[in-house]
Amino acid sequence: MNGPLRSGPSSWRLAATLVLAAGGTRPSAAAPSSAEGFRLLLLQRSPNQGFMPGAHVFPGGVLDAADRSADWLRLFAPHQGPPRFGLGPAPPRRAAFPVLPDAANGDAGALPDDVAFRICAIREAFEEAGVLLLRPRGALSAPEPRRALALPPGLADWRDRVRRDPHHFLRLCAHLDCTPDIWALHDWSAWLTPFYRGATRRFNTTFFLCCLREPPSVHPDLAEVVGCQWLSPSEATERFISKEIWLAPPQFYELRRLENFASLSDLHKFCLDRALEGLERWLPITLLTADGSLQLLPGDELYLEDSTFLEKFLSTEKTTEEIMKEGETFHRIVLYDRHLYDIHVTVQSKCKHVYPQNYVATKSRL
């Protein structure tokens, strides 16, 4: 049941997302003060987008062939190069369901996945938010947490070019004599879009986390992205529940996970301490109940590593409450309605990572 995927309905488009966590203060309506010590950049997708219209998301997008082009080798040389480009030892390859092919698809000249996905995430942050995470060529180290590069004059024209053709991102970096700051991006998680009715777009998205000393200026592109907010995890949760913003289940889960950290320094140290562990890649499986639905994650007692459920739901005639009363081993998101999710986790985290604490909003909201 766990063989490699072939092209067809169960194929996912490769994508990368960048979770930007910033400390410091920037007084503005889009960056309220936070007692938690860091805030996260959330971008509002245009209501005209075909996938998750109007949702608040972390910056990110689809991997382009330009992101793994061998042409990048000349820009990284002579200080960084194959096989790891200074990223440190390769994390272990972990068995996961389902088994997926590498991004390079046999192209021996392409960059390794760890580099290509980071370039994609950095490029998308520039395209969507105008945030530029670059490092001068030849700089062998940089203090962390990082600072985003202040945008030089004329960058608006470059941004338009990059949106039209991602190959221009390499040309921009060469023009600035910089490389994408791939070393500032830490492995965080990976999510596969679950099956849903009418699914035409499904993504295999790698999430990276980057700690910044202070929130940079953000300039939504007003095409894919129409707004932005810097919010702490708890602020984002409250705005979701109050229907001020909408979050897809993976973003909600990650926000709840990030609430485990009291400060930016704690979060940054955690990322460094688990740098050799890599990430877990999860495919949620949807269980439809008589009155709602659950997204089951690996480790949950009802989760099935069965390729049948790449293209279908689990279903039951029982109510959500009945299902919850019957079980003990949980790793699941309970979806009551569009703005009301619970998270239940009783399993131990893996890969030296941390999972969210149980989050139950239903008693006061239903």
Side-chain angles (χ1 to χ4, degrees), residues 137-153:
R137 290 181 68 205
L140 300 181
S141 63
E144 291 199 53
R146 300 283 210 268
R147 283 192 174 97
L149 186 71
L151 297 185

Side-chain angles (χ1 to χ4, degrees), residues 36-304:
E36 293 179 310
F38 68 90
R39 285 157 286 148
L40 305 163
L41 177 60
L42 290 171
L43 305 179
Q44 184 180 8
R45 289 174 59 80
S46 165
N48 299 321
Q49 292 293 302
F51 184 73
M52 296 202 304
H56 278 71
V57 299
F58 305 115
V62 174
L63 183 77
D64 191 88
D67 299 320
R68 55 186 178 89
S69 167
D71 292 341
W72 284 102
L73 294 171
R74 292 192 295 273
L75 195 67
F76 281 101
H79 302 287
Q80 307 292 353
R84 294 289 299 158
F85 290 78
L87 289 174
R93 296 181 68 88
R94 303 181 185 277
F97 170 79
V99 178
L100 300 173
D102 289 339
N105 292 325
D107 181 358
L111 298 184
D113 290 0
D114 283 349
V115 176
F117 279 93
R118 282 172 166 81
I119 291 175
C120 173
I122 292 169
R123 172 181 58 78
E124 287 285 349
F126 175 59
E127 287 186 34
E128 294 182 338
V131 175
L132 199 51
L133 297 172
L134 303 182
R135 196 164 97 178
R137 290 181 68 205
L140 300 181
S141 63
E144 291 199 53
R146 300 283 210 268
R147 283 192 174 97
L149 186 71
L151 297 185
L155 261 289
D157 290 340
W158 275 106
R159 193 174 169 196
D160 289 339
R161 288 180 222 162
V162 173
R163 277 202 299 265
R164 290 194 299 268
D165 180 0
H167 287 88
H168 282 292
F169 190 56
L170 170 59
R171 295 166 192 143
L172 169 62
C173 292
H175 172 72
L176 297 174
D177 199 30
C178 290
T179 61
D181 194 357
I182 60 174
W183 308 277
L185 274 59
H186 304 281
D187 288 330
W188 188 254
S189 63
W191 293 79
L192 293 160
T193 309
F195 171 76
Y196 60 96
R197 289 192 179 97
T200 58
R201 300 183 184 184
R202 298 176 74 179
F203 298 91
N204 170 10
T205 305
T206 300
F207 282 59
F208 297 102
L209 192 138
C210 176
C211 294
L212 298 174
R213 296 184 192 183
E214 57 200 23
S217 296
V218 178
H219 307 279
D221 65 13
L222 303 182
E224 292 183 48
V225 173
V226 295
C228 66
Q229 298 188 60
W230 287 98
L231 299 174
S232 71
S234 62
E235 288 167 341
T237 299
E238 282 302 313
R239 295 195 186 192
F240 168 68
I241 292 173
S242 65
K243 303 183 180 181
E244 296 174 62
I245 66 175
W246 182 73
L247 301 165
Q251 281 74 19
F252 185 79
Y253 183 100
E254 295 298 357
L255 285 164
R256 299 309 306 168
R257 191 199 311 241
L258 285 160
E259 192 148 5
N260 284 294
F261 301 95
S263 68
L264 185 71
S265 60
D266 289 346
L267 177 59
H268 182 239
K269 182 178 184 300
F270 177 81
C271 290
L272 295 178
D273 288 346
R274 64 171 306 276
L276 300 181
E277 297 298 319
L279 49 78
E280 296 180 87
R281 191 172 304 277
W282 292 341
L283 169 65
I285 293 178
T286 302
L287 169 62
L288 301 179
T289 68
D291 58 353
S293 65
L294 289 74
Q295 286 202 351
L296 307 173
L297 301 174
D300 191 282
E301 63 187 43
L302 297 180
Y303 190 87
L304 297 175

